[in-house]
């Protein structure tokens, strides 16, 4: 490959050429959701970012094992070691079993991801299904001397680990600075230092979700699950670990410490992080109460929304920015995304009807090269989209008779345009057969009206012809009469 894939490694803070551990295989682990509420726009970003990564890796010929976990136990309030389990709290408030909460929101999460065109992972392990593996991980860390038991709980000894290794190398934090800026919290008297984090927590009497362990009846710490499940399904060392930038510290920093403490080396070769979705410059999140669920985007049922936005519009809006840059929500940005995506789709719909010529008046031979170079430069989706817009202008020029294109160029254009728009960016308006069949019936009804209008024009029945055109225009259609017939768009 002339320009091999490079990705930004958070650990080294630079773009690096991606060279997988095994020549044709890629192991990828991404932190999935904690399922105690509906997915919001912030959840869509990592799902779409790493969906595009998987799609592109497969396009390059790699066999990808994509593991995206589900957190259904151990994630306490405020991402800390104290407070209530987020799922157990939701269950208590709604008078449900915790696993009822998990199943309800997991089902809804899957439906939402399907609407967004996010491919399912190869494996979707749940934390509660891997308690044995997490207990084994905790025991290994204890045996290595980097953890201690306290009142039935087990904590990671950050100071001891830092003396032998380096705690903070992913986030760039200094342990001395963190200790001086961290106050002791009520209920943390079990810890030697405030920075120490829970590997296993003894369950309080009221805690519903609990399992037997060598130390107490309790539950695993939030950070344990990803280390344990990553190792189980991808091995002691694997290629890429992804997630949101908000997980760099403490979650991923703790994952590195757990891996090194338990096996003497880090599990991950490339750490990738997507940036946040913001509203008025503030991170969107459940804990901040400023989130808009994806279903609300799809229905328009939220005071901050001026209209409903389709799942593909949301996907395009997210891919319109580089995954490492912030994306600030606004109705105007989403409305612009909706119009821009429609233009790309309209151009694609013209591709099969284009007629090749013996000579060409356009230059499009570098479209594949442009798209490939952009993707190989740390998944630069905005550059791919810009290249597709350039191609769409060529398509419209040829369609309107303002330019000519050879058969060879046309074949290349069709393949490249659809490969990047549909298969790699996943902006596929052909998704969901039921919705497509409705759209097809809808289009046939419009075509029927235009056929009736054409017959009226042949009879010189101008009032009927004008009435059909005017009513269709009033309800949002653009009607264009050409030499070949009448064209319409919505």
């Amino acid at each position: 490959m002339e320009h091999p894939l490079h990705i930004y490694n958070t650990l080294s803070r630079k773009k690096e050429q991606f060279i997988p551990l095994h020549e044709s295989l890629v192991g990828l682990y991404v932190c999935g959701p904690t399922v105690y509420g509906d997915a919001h726009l912030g959840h869509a970003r990592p799902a779409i970012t790493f969906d595009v990564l998987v799609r592109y890796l497969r396009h390059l010929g790699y066999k990808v094992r994509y593991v995206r976990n589900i957190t259904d136990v151990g994630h306490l309030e405020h991402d800390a070691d104290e407070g209530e389990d987020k799922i157990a709290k939701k269950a208590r408030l709604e008078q449900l079993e915790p696993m009822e909460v998990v199943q309800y929101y997991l089902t809804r999460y899957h439906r939402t991801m399907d609407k967004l065109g996010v491919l399912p992972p190869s494996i979707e392990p749940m934390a509660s299904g891997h308690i044995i593996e997490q207990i084994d991980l905790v025991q290994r860390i204890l045996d290595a001397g980097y953890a201690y038991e306290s009142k039935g709980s087990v904590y990671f000894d950050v100071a001891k680990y830092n003396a032998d290794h380096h705690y903070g190398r992913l986030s760039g934090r200094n342990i001395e600075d963190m200790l001086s800026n961290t106050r002791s919290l009520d209920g943390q008297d079990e810890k030697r230092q405030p920075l120490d984090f829970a590997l296993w927590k003894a369950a309080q009497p009221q805690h519903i979700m609990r399992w037997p362990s060598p130390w107490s009846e309790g539950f695993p710490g939030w950070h344990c699950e990803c280390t344990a499940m990553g190792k189980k399904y991808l091995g002691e060392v694997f290629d890429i670990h992804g997630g949101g930038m908000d997980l760099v510290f403490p979650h991923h920093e703790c994952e590195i410490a757990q891996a090194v403490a338990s096996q003497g080396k880090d599990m991950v070769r490339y750490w990738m992080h997507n940036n946040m979705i913001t509203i008025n410059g503030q991170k969107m999140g459940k804990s901040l109460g400023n989130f808009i669920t994806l279903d609300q985007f799809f229905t328009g049922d939220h005071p901050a929304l001026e209209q409903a936005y389709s799942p593909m519009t949301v996907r395009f809006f997210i891919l319109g920015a580089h995954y490492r840059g912030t994306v600030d929500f606004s109705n105007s940005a989403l409305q612009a995304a909706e119009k821009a995506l429609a233009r790309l789709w309209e151009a694609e719909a013209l591709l099969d009807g284009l007629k090749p010529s013996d000579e060409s008046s356009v230059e499009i031979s570098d479209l594949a090269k442009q798209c490939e170079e952009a993707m190989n430069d740390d998944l630069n989706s905005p550059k791919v989209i810009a290249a597709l817009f350039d191609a769409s202008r060529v398509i419209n020029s040829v369609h309107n008779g303002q330019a000519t294109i050879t058969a060879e160029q046309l074949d290349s254009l069709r393949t490249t345009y659809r490969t990047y728009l549909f298969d790699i960016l996943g902006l596929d308006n052909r998704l969901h057969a039921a919705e497509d069949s409705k759209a097809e019936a809808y289009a046939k009804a419009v075509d029927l009206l235009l056929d009736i209008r054409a017959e009226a024009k042949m009879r010189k029945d101008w009032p009927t012809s004008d009435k059909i055109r005017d009513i269709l225009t009033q309800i949002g259609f653009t009607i264009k009469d050409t030499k070949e017939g009448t064209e319409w768009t919505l």
Side-chain angles (χ1 to χ4, degrees), residues 146 157-167 175:
Y146 292 112
D157 192 334
V158 171
K160 172 74 186 302
Y161 173 83
N162 191 63
D164 298 334
H165 304 284
H166 177 196
Y167 183 80
I175 187 171

Side-chain angles (χ1 to χ4, degrees), residues 131-149 152-156 198-200 212-216 220-221 224 227-228 231 258 261-263:
I131 301 298
I132 292 171
E133 289 84 355
Q134 292 176 81
I135 289 173
D136 180 64
L137 173 69
V138 175
Q139 189 61 60
R140 286 174 184 271
I141 296 171
L142 275 167
D143 293 344
Y146 292 112
Y148 56 89
E149 186 181 349
S153 295
V154 181
Y155 292 96
F156 191 93
L199 299 172
W200 184 267
S213 79
W215 316 287
S216 64
C224 283
T227 305
K231 180 177 179 178
Q258 290 169 161
S262 63
Q263 63 185 31

Side-chain angles (χ1 to χ4, degrees), residues 216-227:
S216 64
E217 273 216 350
F219 53 93
W222 172 39
H223 311 302
C224 283
E225 60 178 287
C226 293
T227 305

